[in-house]
Amino acid sequence: MSTSTTIEITGLGKSFGPVRAVDDLTFSVRPGQVTGFLGPNGAGKTTTLRMLLGLVRPTEGTATFGGTEYRNLKDPLATVGTALEASSFHPGRSARNHLRVYARAAGIGMKRVDAVLAQVGIAAFADRRVGGYSLGMRQRLGLAFALLGDPGVLVLDEPVNGLDPEGIKWIRSFLGQLAAEGRTVLVSSHLLSEVQQSVDRVIIISHGSLVYEGGLAELESGPRVLADSPDRAALESALLAAGAEVETTAGGLAVLGLTREQVGSVALSAGAALSLLATENSGIEQAFLELVGEGGSL
């Protein structure tokens, strides 16, 4: 296994005719961590991953593994393991035979096939045709393929999709173990709850551009106060005068910089009767929506 390989995305851009799918994207994915790659549908995640893996040619910029583009890697399977589509396996071929084809082509010993099937927990079903596999089992087979060359980098698209709760718990632990071995692990996902429990860092893109790169703790914002009044304009004016940050939402005013008690005091002094006064702990999901827009969904 080759470790200490950093994924570097630098000034990456891709246009499909008039459509700008990815725009001046720059970020890095370091070894020893599980990094989540997030964004609304259509944000450019898949296009970015396909450029990284040499499946789509960038309009500009570079996407490299330790400074080398995928097409120039001397031993791709031993450097990068990928799992992009769980449904891409031939339905009439067994899991064992599927992996043997790739192992033979890459000069990998057949013992490695049995090892990765056992590693992902499907050795007992290795001779069953993939057409009879559940989506969760195909996900595990995709992970086995990604591990076939014992790579130092793993690029996984929606690895928990189709897994039952036990499978999700297993893959969380498994990805953590891979990162602890010094591997670079990049996981694309639209499930915020799973990302929150599975990754060390997140990269968020929207409309093809980077909007956040960093840890979960820094992303998660603190509590804010929700308030409203029949005279909302007077309440907002008084809160702004008191030095608060105020944002209008569908249900009233979101207030930062003042406690709930302070908001109540400001409203009383302004003569603005309150119809709503509550504290909201704004978590990672709210932070995501604020970064990509309320219409965004993972």
Side-chain angles (χ1 to χ4, degrees):
M1 178 186 69
S2 59
T3 58
S4 301
T5 300
T6 300
I7 296 173
E8 292 286 354
I9 305 291
T10 307
L12 196 64
K14 180 63 182 179
S15 297
F16 296 99
V19 178
R20 188 68 169 166
V22 177
D23 187 26
D24 193 24
L25 192 58
T26 298
F27 64 84
S28 62
V29 183
R30 299 188 293 271
Q33 296 181 325
V34 180
T35 299
F37 188 38
L38 311 178
N41 292 327
K45 299 193 305 296
T46 298
T47 300
T48 300
L49 294 181
R50 291 177 70 82
M51 286 191 285
L52 175 64
L53 298 172
L55 301 173
V56 171
R57 185 177 293 275
T59 304
E60 65 270 331
T62 59
T64 64
F65 300 91
T68 303
E69 293 183 352
Y70 186 87
R71 61 182 177 177
N72 295 325
L73 292 173
K74 293 181 179 180
D75 194 349
L77 282 185
T79 305
V80 185
T82 66
L84 297 186
E85 295 183 24
S87 59
S88 62
F89 308 112
H90 192 290
R93 185 180 293 161
S94 71
R96 193 190 308 277
N97 286 338
H98 174 81
L99 294 182
R100 280 177 172 174
V101 169
Y102 287 100
R104 190 173 294 112
I108 298 171
M110 293 300 107
K111 288 184 178 180
R112 181 64 183 165
V113 170
D114 292 332
V116 295
L117 287 168
Q119 194 173 4
V120 301
I122 58 172
F125 312 100
D127 295 314
R128 181 184 298 181
R129 290 182 179 181
V130 175
Y133 274 20
S134 66
L135 177 56
M137 290 175 67
R138 291 199 299 273
Q139 290 283 33
R140 290 184 183 236
L141 178 55
L143 188 54
F145 168 70
L147 292 167
L148 194 58
D150 197 17
V153 180
L154 289 164
V155 179
L156 310 175
D157 189 21
E158 302 281 359
V160 302
N161 186 30
L163 295 180
D164 56 21
E166 182 180 352
I168 292 173
K169 182 179 179 181
W170 168 80
I171 203 166
R172 284 182 196 149
S173 175
F174 191 62
L175 293 178
Q177 291 173 15
L178 294 173
E181 293 170 0
R183 302 180 204 254
T184 304
V185 184
L186 179 62
V187 179
S188 172
S189 178
H190 72 283
L191 296 174
L192 282 173
S193 58
E194 300 309 329
V195 167
Q196 197 167 10
Q197 299 178 63
S198 305
V199 307
D200 304 299
R201 298 176 67 246
V202 290
I203 293 162
I204 302 176
I205 65 173
S206 180
H207 302 293
S209 299
L210 181 72
V211 294
Y212 180 80
E213 177 181 5
L216 289 172
E218 294 84 356
L219 175 63
E220 195 164 7
S221 56
R224 63 181 185 176
V225 178
L226 302 180
D228 203 7
S229 169
D231 191 351
R232 185 181 293 177
L235 176 60
E236 181 176 9
S237 178
L239 290 169
L240 290 171
E245 296 181 27
V246 183
E247 177 185 350
T248 301
T249 69
L253 302 176
V255 184
L256 286 172
L258 296 178
T259 65
R260 185 175 64 173
E261 290 74 15
Q262 289 171 328
V263 170
S265 178
V266 168
L268 180 62
S269 298
L274 290 173
S275 57
L276 171 66
L277 183 61
T279 301
E280 176 192 63
N281 286 314
S282 182
I284 188 173
E285 184 172 2
Q286 182 61 37
F288 170 82
L289 291 174
E290 290 173 357
L291 285 169
V292 303
E294 292 292 334
S297 62
L298 284 177

